[in-house]
Amino acid sequence: MDKDIYERLQRILDPPESVSELSLLHQEDESTTWFGIEKDPNGPPIFQDHGRFAALMADTKQPNAGVRYPQLVSFVGETGAGKSTLIKMLVSLKEHKLPNHADMPFESPVVGSMKHDKSPTSGDVHLYADPETAFTRLPMLYADCEGLRGGEIEPAANKLRQKNRGNHNQGGKRFFGGQPRELVYAKSNSEARNREWAVKRVYPRLLYTFSDVIVFVLRNTRTFESSALTLLLDWASTSLESSINQPTIPHAIIVLNATNPGVDQDEWDIPTATERLMQHVANAVYENPFFVKYADHWRKKGRRIKDMLDLVRCYYADISVVRIPEKGRYMLTNAQIDKLHHKIVLHCDASFSAKDDAHMLSNVEELDAYLQAGFDHFTTKEDQPFNFVDVALRNNPIPRDFGDHILAMAAKIREVTHVCKAMDLFDKFYANSCVAALEHFCDKYWPCSFVSRKGKACVNVRSSHFAKGHQAMGGKIIASGPYKSEFSCFAFSDQWKIYLKRRLKHIEAVFHERRNASMPKKDDPLTVYDRNLAYSLHMECMGSFFSSYEGYNASKFTSLTTCYCCLMEVPEHPLPCGHVLCTGCVKAYGYQHEANSILMDFCPLHSEQSFSRSWIIHCKPEYAGVRILALDGFVT
């Protein structure tokens, strides 16, 4: 027996029982709180984001770290099932294997004492880093969710937080103060004012939407069908239709905690335990009224449900069952925790691959933007689904090349005009290398063309269609089946390239025709006149392009990431009409005012409308360095 493993597990499984010791541990653990609900006696409950995700990512970032893609693993279960204990074992046993682990201990949950097992220990949702992956390209984060069916009993951690409110100076730990948000619909929905309602409705929607893996922890393994699978499906059913264009649905792991060591030895093997338990409940979709209801629901949508595994895979990408022995078998516990960690990694890898295939991977900054948008959405809209594509449109990264700028403009036109014919959208573009933008646009922004018998249209795009099938705007899943579209970028790309070349050839002919009509033929390089002629011709093309959408004009299309005048640069200079242009376009269509300023009388995107007065644009001198304003200090 490994003495260090034995001592670590013994400390975890025999937590302190005195109130003073537990209070101190909860105080130290307060900084790990990610988000939660706080009651406001004068108004609706407050959803409080404590900034834990940003703090954790900052604390684990290495000096020369590349792009990192965080992976979220959420632990869910009833109060007293052992969620916090399980996370603490995962953290402690993996931390034990790191070199110099004593110099940089990882934070882990507070484990409740059996004397206080009638009330929740951890309040809200806490977030912890997995020591083995914390500093890697794919860091895993463990979310410890407040126990289900805890009722209105205030968790021990929350009582302490209220007592010590305002004290943020705890051992130099970093706090990234988050934004408090009102639970808006609680004003009209009295049930939403209850803590239990938030735990059952708000937390599941957030965690199901953003998690790669959901770990369901259960203690009573004799009621697998009635407790484990009921919880599994009931929890997911409240969340499945709360988002659309979700790149992948989470994987599920059922942890059967405190298993009797006397079970068949084969049951400690994850594939065997999974296969046997799923076989044992296979016919429940025909016999158990609870599961029959869910199975019939999916059969009506065209899904083939022949056993329980088929039903589970309507809500989760896959399922695994892991047994953890009851207290006393420390080395067996260590071995099972190792297997659990390995299974979590495998499921996270599968989720990563699915998101990569869908071109919807999120790095640290992007995931934080999605999370903040999710917090905003699920605290203000009770029944409306969260749309990943809408957030992607709002938070598009700065385009890297011409193709990215074309894609950004196409996505904006799709958002504004709701145009339904791809030919009408793309045959107005001119460029010489845009096929990649065409493919990405069809993958990420062009919705499925499926329409149900009741007239409901599918809104999922190709890249995120596999996860849930055909899904309506309201989030309701209307049918199963693959992505459908009358337009194929692969069939159209060759035809499009021919059109682009023809269009460019026509523009070039017009250019030479106008040039020859006013100037003698020359073989000289482009003169100032030639450039002005090209600018004028380009402006005519833009005017024709934006006016071609009936009922719309150029004022409807604006961007802070793509200059819609040239599609070559990032815009920097706002105009009074609302458009933002890059420095090159400002210099092309304006005239010099002073050494570092330019006057513009009109916007080249709609040149027929002049400004009421000349607009002054100040440009950074060509050889001036970058100035950085640093604001020191932090105000809470």
PDB file of all heavy atoms in Angstrom, residues 369-384:
ATOM      1  N   ALA A 369     -16.420  34.570 -23.600  1.00  0.00           N
ATOM      2  CA  ALA A 369     -17.451  35.383 -24.256  1.00  0.00           C
ATOM      3  C   ALA A 369     -18.760  34.606 -24.362  1.00  0.00           C
ATOM      4  O   ALA A 369     -19.848  35.160 -24.124  1.00  0.00           O
ATOM      5  CB  ALA A 369     -16.973  35.811 -25.647  1.00  0.00           C
ATOM      6  N   TYR A 370     -18.687  33.315 -24.700  1.00  0.00           N
ATOM      7  CA  TYR A 370     -19.890  32.482 -24.772  1.00  0.00           C
ATOM      8  C   TYR A 370     -20.531  32.353 -23.386  1.00  0.00           C
ATOM      9  O   TYR A 370     -21.762  32.413 -23.248  1.00  0.00           O
ATOM     10  CB  TYR A 370     -19.545  31.090 -25.301  1.00  0.00           C
ATOM     11  CG  TYR A 370     -19.489  30.997 -26.809  1.00  0.00           C
ATOM     12  CD1 TYR A 370     -18.297  30.720 -27.472  1.00  0.00           C
ATOM     13  CD2 TYR A 370     -20.640  31.165 -27.578  1.00  0.00           C
ATOM     14  CE1 TYR A 370     -18.238  30.633 -28.863  1.00  0.00           C
ATOM     15  CE2 TYR A 370     -20.596  31.072 -28.965  1.00  0.00           C
ATOM     16  CZ  TYR A 370     -19.393  30.802 -29.593  1.00  0.00           C
ATOM     17  OH  TYR A 370     -19.350  30.721 -30.958  1.00  0.00           O
ATOM     18  N   LEU A 371     -19.705  32.156 -22.358  1.00  0.00           N
ATOM     19  CA  LEU A 371     -20.232  32.017 -21.000  1.00  0.00           C
ATOM     20  C   LEU A 371     -20.941  33.290 -20.550  1.00  0.00           C
ATOM     21  O   LEU A 371     -22.044  33.228 -19.987  1.00  0.00           O
ATOM     22  CB  LEU A 371     -19.097  31.676 -20.031  1.00  0.00           C
ATOM     23  CG  LEU A 371     -18.511  30.264 -20.143  1.00  0.00           C
ATOM     24  CD1 LEU A 371     -17.229  30.150 -19.327  1.00  0.00           C
ATOM     25  CD2 LEU A 371     -19.515  29.208 -19.692  1.00  0.00           C
ATOM     26  N   GLN A 372     -20.319  34.444 -20.802  1.00  0.00           N
ATOM     27  CA  GLN A 372     -20.942  35.705 -20.403  1.00  0.00           C
ATOM     28  C   GLN A 372     -22.254  35.916 -21.143  1.00  0.00           C
ATOM     29  O   GLN A 372     -23.242  36.381 -20.570  1.00  0.00           O
ATOM     30  CB  GLN A 372     -19.979  36.877 -20.664  1.00  0.00           C
ATOM     31  CG  GLN A 372     -18.728  36.866 -19.803  1.00  0.00           C
ATOM     32  CD  GLN A 372     -19.029  36.842 -18.312  1.00  0.00           C
ATOM     33  OE1 GLN A 372     -19.929  37.535 -17.838  1.00  0.00           O
ATOM     34  NE2 GLN A 372     -18.288  36.040 -17.562  1.00  0.00           N
ATOM     35  N   ALA A 373     -22.270  35.563 -22.428  1.00  0.00           N
ATOM     36  CA  ALA A 373     -23.510  35.667 -23.204  1.00  0.00           C
ATOM     37  C   ALA A 373     -24.561  34.703 -22.657  1.00  0.00           C
ATOM     38  O   ALA A 373     -25.758  35.027 -22.605  1.00  0.00           O
ATOM     39  CB  ALA A 373     -23.237  35.377 -24.673  1.00  0.00           C
ATOM     40  N   GLY A 374     -24.116  33.514 -22.232  1.00  0.00           N
ATOM     41  CA  GLY A 374     -25.028  32.546 -21.630  1.00  0.00           C
ATOM     42  C   GLY A 374     -25.601  33.044 -20.315  1.00  0.00           C
ATOM     43  O   GLY A 374     -26.798  32.889 -20.038  1.00  0.00           O
ATOM     44  N   PHE A 375     -24.753  33.656 -19.491  1.00  0.00           N
ATOM     45  CA  PHE A 375     -25.234  34.230 -18.226  1.00  0.00           C
ATOM     46  C   PHE A 375     -26.291  35.297 -18.505  1.00  0.00           C
ATOM     47  O   PHE A 375     -27.330  35.352 -17.830  1.00  0.00           O
ATOM     48  CB  PHE A 375     -24.072  34.840 -17.439  1.00  0.00           C
ATOM     49  CG  PHE A 375     -23.060  33.835 -16.945  1.00  0.00           C
ATOM     50  CD1 PHE A 375     -21.781  34.239 -16.583  1.00  0.00           C
ATOM     51  CD2 PHE A 375     -23.370  32.496 -16.848  1.00  0.00           C
ATOM     52  CE1 PHE A 375     -20.845  33.325 -16.125  1.00  0.00           C
ATOM     53  CE2 PHE A 375     -22.438  31.566 -16.389  1.00  0.00           C
ATOM     54  CZ  PHE A 375     -21.169  31.992 -16.030  1.00  0.00           C
ATOM     55  N   ASP A 376     -26.020  36.161 -19.490  1.00  0.00           N
ATOM     56  CA  ASP A 376     -26.979  37.206 -19.850  1.00  0.00           C
ATOM     57  C   ASP A 376     -28.296  36.588 -20.317  1.00  0.00           C
ATOM     58  O   ASP A 376     -29.382  37.040 -19.931  1.00  0.00           O
ATOM     59  CB  ASP A 376     -26.425  38.100 -20.967  1.00  0.00           C
ATOM     60  CG  ASP A 376     -25.285  38.990 -20.494  1.00  0.00           C
ATOM     61  OD1 ASP A 376     -25.210  39.258 -19.276  1.00  0.00           O
ATOM     62  OD2 ASP A 376     -24.470  39.414 -21.335  1.00  0.00           O
ATOM     63  N   HIS A 377     -28.182  35.565 -21.152  1.00  0.00           N
ATOM     64  CA  HIS A 377     -29.370  34.969 -21.768  1.00  0.00           C
ATOM     65  C   HIS A 377     -30.236  34.240 -20.744  1.00  0.00           C
ATOM     66  O   HIS A 377     -31.448  34.477 -20.666  1.00  0.00           O
ATOM     67  CB  HIS A 377     -28.947  33.992 -22.866  1.00  0.00           C
ATOM     68  CG  HIS A 377     -30.094  33.326 -23.544  1.00  0.00           C
ATOM     69  ND1 HIS A 377     -30.695  33.843 -24.670  1.00  0.00           N
ATOM     70  CD2 HIS A 377     -30.785  32.177 -23.251  1.00  0.00           C
ATOM     71  CE1 HIS A 377     -31.689  33.059 -25.040  1.00  0.00           C
ATOM     72  NE2 HIS A 377     -31.758  32.037 -24.203  1.00  0.00           N
ATOM     73  N   PHE A 378     -29.626  33.349 -19.959  1.00  0.00           N
ATOM     74  CA  PHE A 378     -30.419  32.494 -19.076  1.00  0.00           C
ATOM     75  C   PHE A 378     -30.921  33.217 -17.828  1.00  0.00           C
ATOM     76  O   PHE A 378     -31.677  32.640 -17.046  1.00  0.00           O
ATOM     77  CB  PHE A 378     -29.612  31.255 -18.693  1.00  0.00           C
ATOM     78  CG  PHE A 378     -29.429  30.289 -19.828  1.00  0.00           C
ATOM     79  CD1 PHE A 378     -28.167  30.051 -20.353  1.00  0.00           C
ATOM     80  CD2 PHE A 378     -30.508  29.646 -20.388  1.00  0.00           C
ATOM     81  CE1 PHE A 378     -27.985  29.173 -21.420  1.00  0.00           C
ATOM     82  CE2 PHE A 378     -30.357  28.768 -21.454  1.00  0.00           C
ATOM     83  CZ  PHE A 378     -29.087  28.531 -21.971  1.00  0.00           C
ATOM     84  N   THR A 379     -30.515  34.461 -17.625  1.00  0.00           N
ATOM     85  CA  THR A 379     -31.067  35.251 -16.515  1.00  0.00           C
ATOM     86  C   THR A 379     -32.149  36.207 -16.995  1.00  0.00           C
ATOM     87  O   THR A 379     -32.830  36.828 -16.166  1.00  0.00           O
ATOM     88  CB  THR A 379     -29.967  36.061 -15.809  1.00  0.00           C
ATOM     89  OG1 THR A 379     -29.255  36.852 -16.781  1.00  0.00           O
ATOM     90  CG2 THR A 379     -28.987  35.143 -15.096  1.00  0.00           C
ATOM     91  N   THR A 380     -32.319  36.342 -18.302  1.00  0.00           N
ATOM     92  CA  THR A 380     -33.317  37.270 -18.826  1.00  0.00           C
ATOM     93  C   THR A 380     -34.397  36.595 -19.653  1.00  0.00           C
ATOM     94  O   THR A 380     -35.504  37.102 -19.764  1.00  0.00           O
ATOM     95  CB  THR A 380     -32.647  38.352 -19.704  1.00  0.00           C
ATOM     96  OG1 THR A 380     -31.902  37.717 -20.752  1.00  0.00           O
ATOM     97  CG2 THR A 380     -31.701  39.209 -18.866  1.00  0.00           C
ATOM     98  N   LYS A 381     -34.093  35.437 -20.235  1.00  0.00           N
ATOM     99  CA  LYS A 381     -35.050  34.766 -21.131  1.00  0.00           C
ATOM    100  C   LYS A 381     -35.334  33.358 -20.594  1.00  0.00           C
ATOM    101  O   LYS A 381     -34.480  32.478 -20.688  1.00  0.00           O
ATOM    102  CB  LYS A 381     -34.494  34.713 -22.553  1.00  0.00           C
ATOM    103  CG  LYS A 381     -34.231  36.103 -23.141  1.00  0.00           C
ATOM    104  CD  LYS A 381     -33.576  36.008 -24.503  1.00  0.00           C
ATOM    105  CE  LYS A 381     -33.391  37.376 -25.117  1.00  0.00           C
ATOM    106  NZ  LYS A 381     -32.459  38.220 -24.357  1.00  0.00           N
ATOM    107  N   GLU A 382     -36.513  33.172 -20.072  1.00  0.00           N
ATOM    108  CA  GLU A 382     -36.853  31.897 -19.423  1.00  0.00           C
ATOM    109  C   GLU A 382     -37.095  30.785 -20.435  1.00  0.00           C
ATOM    110  O   GLU A 382     -36.714  29.639 -20.213  1.00  0.00           O
ATOM    111  CB  GLU A 382     -38.097  32.082 -18.550  1.00  0.00           C
ATOM    112  CG  GLU A 382     -38.488  30.839 -17.777  1.00  0.00           C
ATOM    113  CD  GLU A 382     -39.671  31.078 -16.867  1.00  0.00           C
ATOM    114  OE1 GLU A 382     -40.233  32.200 -16.894  1.00  0.00           O
ATOM    115  OE2 GLU A 382     -40.044  30.154 -16.128  1.00  0.00           O
ATOM    116  N   ASP A 383     -37.727  31.112 -21.567  1.00  0.00           N
ATOM    117  CA  ASP A 383     -38.144  30.077 -22.510  1.00  0.00           C
ATOM    118  C   ASP A 383     -37.436  30.149 -23.862  1.00  0.00           C
ATOM    119  O   ASP A 383     -37.553  29.235 -24.663  1.00  0.00           O
ATOM    120  CB  ASP A 383     -39.661  30.152 -22.736  1.00  0.00           C
ATOM    121  CG  ASP A 383     -40.436  29.923 -21.448  1.00  0.00           C
ATOM    122  OD1 ASP A 383     -40.063  29.003 -20.694  1.00  0.00           O
ATOM    123  OD2 ASP A 383     -41.384  30.681 -21.194  1.00  0.00           O
ATOM    124  N   GLN A 384     -36.728  31.209 -24.133  1.00  0.00           N
ATOM    125  CA  GLN A 384     -36.069  31.365 -25.438  1.00  0.00           C
ATOM    126  C   GLN A 384     -34.716  30.664 -25.436  1.00  0.00           C
ATOM    127  O   GLN A 384     -33.939  30.828 -24.498  1.00  0.00           O
ATOM    128  CB  GLN A 384     -35.897  32.849 -25.753  1.00  0.00           C
ATOM    129  CG  GLN A 384     -35.332  33.128 -27.136  1.00  0.00           C
ATOM    130  CD  GLN A 384     -35.262  34.620 -27.421  1.00  0.00           C
ATOM    131  OE1 GLN A 384     -36.036  35.394 -26.861  1.00  0.00           O
ATOM    132  NE2 GLN A 384     -34.326  35.028 -28.263  1.00  0.00           N
TER     133      GLN A 384
END
